PDB file of all heavy atoms in Angstrom:
ATOM      1  N   ARG A  23     111.939  81.531  86.591  1.00 92.00           N
ATOM      2  CA  ARG A  23     112.886  82.354  87.356  1.00 92.00           C
ATOM      3  C   ARG A  23     113.706  83.185  86.370  1.00 92.00           C
ATOM      4  O   ARG A  23     114.155  82.674  85.342  1.00 92.00           O
ATOM      5  CB  ARG A  23     113.806  81.443  88.159  1.00 92.00           C
ATOM      6  CG  ARG A  23     114.657  82.173  89.176  1.00 92.00           C
ATOM      7  CD  ARG A  23     115.688  81.253  89.787  1.00 92.00           C
ATOM      8  NE  ARG A  23     115.138  80.309  90.751  1.00 92.00           N
ATOM      9  CZ  ARG A  23     115.025  80.563  92.069  1.00 92.00           C
ATOM     10  NH1 ARG A  23     115.412  81.709  92.560  1.00 92.00           N
ATOM     11  NH2 ARG A  23     114.539  79.646  92.877  1.00 92.00           N
ATOM     12  N   GLY A  27     117.154  86.167  89.745  1.00 94.00           N
ATOM     13  CA  GLY A  27     116.844  85.200  90.803  1.00 94.00           C
ATOM     14  C   GLY A  27     115.377  85.214  91.212  1.00 94.00           C
ATOM     15  O   GLY A  27     114.939  84.362  91.979  1.00 94.00           O
ATOM     16  N   TYR A  28     114.612  86.176  90.709  1.00 96.00           N
ATOM     17  CA  TYR A  28     113.185  86.277  91.054  1.00 96.00           C
ATOM     18  C   TYR A  28     112.329  85.717  89.926  1.00 96.00           C
ATOM     19  O   TYR A  28     112.695  85.820  88.759  1.00 96.00           O
ATOM     20  CB  TYR A  28     112.795  87.745  91.272  1.00 96.00           C
ATOM     21  CG  TYR A  28     113.288  88.295  92.582  1.00 96.00           C
ATOM     22  CD1 TYR A  28     114.586  88.811  92.693  1.00 96.00           C
ATOM     23  CD2 TYR A  28     112.473  88.305  93.701  1.00 96.00           C
ATOM     24  CE1 TYR A  28     115.051  89.318  93.899  1.00 96.00           C
ATOM     25  CE2 TYR A  28     112.918  88.810  94.906  1.00 96.00           C
ATOM     26  CZ  TYR A  28     114.200  89.313  94.998  1.00 96.00           C
ATOM     27  OH  TYR A  28     114.647  89.803  96.195  1.00 96.00           O
ATOM     28  N   HIS A  29     111.204  85.151  90.312  1.00 95.00           N
ATOM     29  CA  HIS A  29     110.258  84.640  89.324  1.00 95.00           C
ATOM     30  C   HIS A  29     109.384  85.777  88.818  1.00 95.00           C
ATOM     31  O   HIS A  29     109.033  86.669  89.593  1.00 95.00           O
ATOM     32  CB  HIS A  29     109.377  83.558  89.942  1.00 95.00           C
ATOM     33  CG  HIS A  29     110.141  82.335  90.347  1.00 95.00           C
ATOM     34  ND1 HIS A  29     110.936  82.292  91.462  1.00 95.00           N
ATOM     35  CD2 HIS A  29     110.248  81.115  89.762  1.00 95.00           C
ATOM     36  CE1 HIS A  29     111.501  81.104  91.555  1.00 95.00           C
ATOM     37  NE2 HIS A  29     111.098  80.367  90.538  1.00 95.00           N
ATOM     38  N   ARG A  30     109.031  85.715  87.547  1.00 94.00           N
ATOM     39  CA  ARG A  30     108.061  86.678  87.008  1.00 94.00           C
ATOM     40  C   ARG A  30     106.691  86.234  87.470  1.00 94.00           C
ATOM     41  O   ARG A  30     106.386  85.034  87.396  1.00 94.00           O
ATOM     42  CB  ARG A  30     108.076  86.694  85.466  1.00 94.00           C
ATOM     43  CG  ARG A  30     109.367  87.186  84.830  1.00 94.00           C
ATOM     44  CD  ARG A  30     109.744  88.587  85.260  1.00 94.00           C
ATOM     45  NE  ARG A  30     110.972  88.488  86.060  1.00 94.00           N
ATOM     46  CZ  ARG A  30     111.465  89.429  86.852  1.00 94.00           C
ATOM     47  NH1 ARG A  30     110.843  90.559  87.007  1.00 94.00           N
ATOM     48  NH2 ARG A  30     112.573  89.254  87.525  1.00 94.00           N
ATOM     49  N   LEU A  31     105.901  87.147  87.948  1.00 94.00           N
ATOM     50  CA  LEU A  31     104.577  86.725  88.389  1.00 94.00           C
ATOM     51  C   LEU A  31     103.450  87.636  87.966  1.00 94.00           C
ATOM     52  O   LEU A  31     103.662  88.746  87.509  1.00 94.00           O
ATOM     53  CB  LEU A  31     104.456  86.558  89.909  1.00 94.00           C
ATOM     54  CG  LEU A  31     105.418  86.994  90.930  1.00 94.00           C
ATOM     55  CD1 LEU A  31     104.709  87.797  91.985  1.00 94.00           C
ATOM     56  CD2 LEU A  31     105.882  85.692  91.554  1.00 94.00           C
ATOM     57  N   VAL A 138     112.425  96.764 100.097  1.00 98.00           N
ATOM     58  CA  VAL A 138     112.049  96.008 101.302  1.00 98.00           C
ATOM     59  C   VAL A 138     111.612  94.597 100.922  1.00 98.00           C
ATOM     60  O   VAL A 138     111.948  93.621 101.578  1.00 98.00           O
ATOM     61  CB  VAL A 138     110.914  96.743 102.063  1.00 98.00           C
ATOM     62  CG1 VAL A 138     110.456  95.923 103.254  1.00 98.00           C
ATOM     63  CG2 VAL A 138     111.366  98.119 102.491  1.00 98.00           C
ATOM     64  N   GLY A 139     110.854  94.465  99.844  1.00 97.00           N
ATOM     65  CA  GLY A 139     110.372  93.158  99.415  1.00 97.00           C
ATOM     66  C   GLY A 139     109.517  93.304  98.170  1.00 97.00           C
ATOM     67  O   GLY A 139     109.063  94.409  97.858  1.00 97.00           O
ATOM     68  N   SER A 140     109.284  92.182  97.502  1.00 97.00           N
ATOM     69  CA  SER A 140     108.523  92.219  96.248  1.00 97.00           C
ATOM     70  C   SER A 140     107.110  92.766  96.462  1.00 97.00           C
ATOM     71  O   SER A 140     106.540  93.377  95.569  1.00 97.00           O
ATOM     72  CB  SER A 140     108.431  90.817  95.656  1.00 97.00           C
ATOM     73  OG  SER A 140     109.724  90.305  95.459  1.00 97.00           O
ATOM     74  N   ASP A 141     106.542  92.542  97.657  1.00 97.00           N
ATOM     75  CA  ASP A 141     105.186  93.029  97.945  1.00 97.00           C
ATOM     76  C   ASP A 141     105.186  94.482  98.420  1.00 97.00           C
ATOM     77  O   ASP A 141     104.113  95.056  98.614  1.00 97.00           O
ATOM     78  CB  ASP A 141     104.551  92.206  99.090  1.00 97.00           C
ATOM     79  CG  ASP A 141     104.284  90.770  98.679  1.00 97.00           C
ATOM     80  OD1 ASP A 141     104.162  90.522  97.475  1.00 97.00           O
ATOM     81  OD2 ASP A 141     104.187  89.921  99.592  1.00 97.00           O
ATOM     82  N   GLY A 155     105.621  91.674  87.214  1.00 95.00           N
ATOM     83  CA  GLY A 155     107.080  91.670  87.369  1.00 95.00           C
ATOM     84  C   GLY A 155     107.423  90.686  88.462  1.00 95.00           C
ATOM     85  O   GLY A 155     106.937  89.561  88.475  1.00 95.00           O
ATOM     86  N   ARG A 156     108.220  91.120  89.465  1.00 96.00           N
ATOM     87  CA  ARG A 156     108.443  90.207  90.590  1.00 96.00           C
ATOM     88  C   ARG A 156     107.379  90.399  91.670  1.00 96.00           C
ATOM     89  O   ARG A 156     107.507  89.924  92.797  1.00 96.00           O
ATOM     90  CB  ARG A 156     109.876  90.320  91.128  1.00 96.00           C
ATOM     91  CG  ARG A 156     110.266  91.648  91.712  1.00 96.00           C
ATOM     92  CD  ARG A 156     111.718  91.597  92.215  1.00 96.00           C
ATOM     93  NE  ARG A 156     112.163  92.851  92.762  1.00 96.00           N
ATOM     94  CZ  ARG A 156     112.124  93.180  94.058  1.00 96.00           C
ATOM     95  NH1 ARG A 156     111.654  92.351  94.944  1.00 96.00           N
ATOM     96  NH2 ARG A 156     112.559  94.360  94.452  1.00 96.00           N
ATOM     97  N   GLY A 157     106.314  91.088  91.276  1.00 97.00           N
ATOM     98  CA  GLY A 157     105.197  91.367  92.185  1.00 97.00           C
ATOM     99  C   GLY A 157     105.183  92.834  92.569  1.00 97.00           C
ATOM    100  O   GLY A 157     104.271  93.300  93.247  1.00 97.00           O
ATOM    101  N   THR A 182     109.568  82.289 102.336  1.00 96.00           N
ATOM    102  CA  THR A 182     109.180  82.517 100.930  1.00 96.00           C
ATOM    103  C   THR A 182     110.147  81.857  99.955  1.00 96.00           C
ATOM    104  O   THR A 182     109.724  81.177  99.012  1.00 96.00           O
ATOM    105  CB  THR A 182     109.129  84.039 100.659  1.00 96.00           C
ATOM    106  OG1 THR A 182     108.296  84.627 101.646  1.00 96.00           O
ATOM    107  CG2 THR A 182     108.575  84.350  99.291  1.00 96.00           C
ATOM    108  N   ALA A 183     111.454  82.052 100.171  1.00 96.00           N
ATOM    109  CA  ALA A 183     112.448  81.526  99.218  1.00 96.00           C
ATOM    110  C   ALA A 183     112.332  79.997  99.121  1.00 96.00           C
ATOM    111  O   ALA A 183     112.524  79.418  98.043  1.00 96.00           O
ATOM    112  CB  ALA A 183     113.852  81.936  99.646  1.00 96.00           C
ATOM    113  N   TYR A 186     109.428  78.955  96.770  1.00 97.00           N
ATOM    114  CA  TYR A 186     109.794  79.098  95.352  1.00 97.00           C
ATOM    115  C   TYR A 186     110.786  78.009  94.938  1.00 97.00           C
ATOM    116  O   TYR A 186     110.741  77.522  93.815  1.00 97.00           O
ATOM    117  CB  TYR A 186     110.363  80.499  95.076  1.00 97.00           C
ATOM    118  CG  TYR A 186     109.282  81.547  94.925  1.00 97.00           C
ATOM    119  CD1 TYR A 186     108.918  82.365  95.996  1.00 97.00           C
ATOM    120  CD2 TYR A 186     108.611  81.720  93.723  1.00 97.00           C
ATOM    121  CE1 TYR A 186     107.919  83.326  95.869  1.00 97.00           C
ATOM    122  CE2 TYR A 186     107.616  82.672  93.575  1.00 97.00           C
ATOM    123  CZ  TYR A 186     107.278  83.474  94.663  1.00 97.00           C
ATOM    124  OH  TYR A 186     106.287  84.408  94.524  1.00 97.00           O
TER     125      TYR A 186
HETATM  126  O1  C5P B 301     111.326  90.023  97.749  1.00 89.38           O
HETATM  127  P1  C5P B 301     110.797  89.044  98.729  1.00 89.38           P
HETATM  128  O2  C5P B 301     111.256  89.260 100.122  1.00 89.38           O
HETATM  129  O3  C5P B 301     109.326  88.935  98.623  1.00 89.38           O
HETATM  130  O4  C5P B 301     111.366  87.638  98.254  1.00 89.38           O
HETATM  131  C1  C5P B 301     111.801  86.607  99.102  1.00 89.38           C
HETATM  132  C2  C5P B 301     112.332  85.469  98.248  1.00 89.38           C
HETATM  133  O5  C5P B 301     111.244  84.859  97.524  1.00 89.38           O
HETATM  134  C3  C5P B 301     113.319  85.875  97.168  1.00 89.38           C
HETATM  135  O6  C5P B 301     114.619  85.898  97.669  1.00 89.38           O
HETATM  136  C4  C5P B 301     113.125  84.777  96.116  1.00 89.38           C
HETATM  137  O7  C5P B 301     113.826  83.595  96.493  1.00 89.38           O
HETATM  138  C5  C5P B 301     111.645  84.460  96.219  1.00 89.38           C
HETATM  139  N1  C5P B 301     110.860  85.229  95.206  1.00 89.38           N
HETATM  140  C6  C5P B 301     110.922  84.815  93.880  1.00 89.38           C
HETATM  141  N2  C5P B 301     110.208  85.507  92.934  1.00 89.38           N
HETATM  142  C7  C5P B 301     109.417  86.542  93.294  1.00 89.38           C
HETATM  143  C8  C5P B 301     109.327  86.959  94.640  1.00 89.38           C
HETATM  144  C9  C5P B 301     110.069  86.270  95.584  1.00 89.38           C
HETATM  145  O8  C5P B 301     111.631  83.857  93.535  1.00 89.38           O
HETATM  146  N3  C5P B 301     108.734  87.178  92.345  1.00 89.38           N
END
Side-chain angles (χ1 to χ4, degrees):
R23 190 189 285 270
Y28 285 85
H29 295 75
R30 295 302 113 195
L31 12 129
V138 176
S140 303
D141 293 337
R156 63 179 179 94
T182 307
Y186 280 97

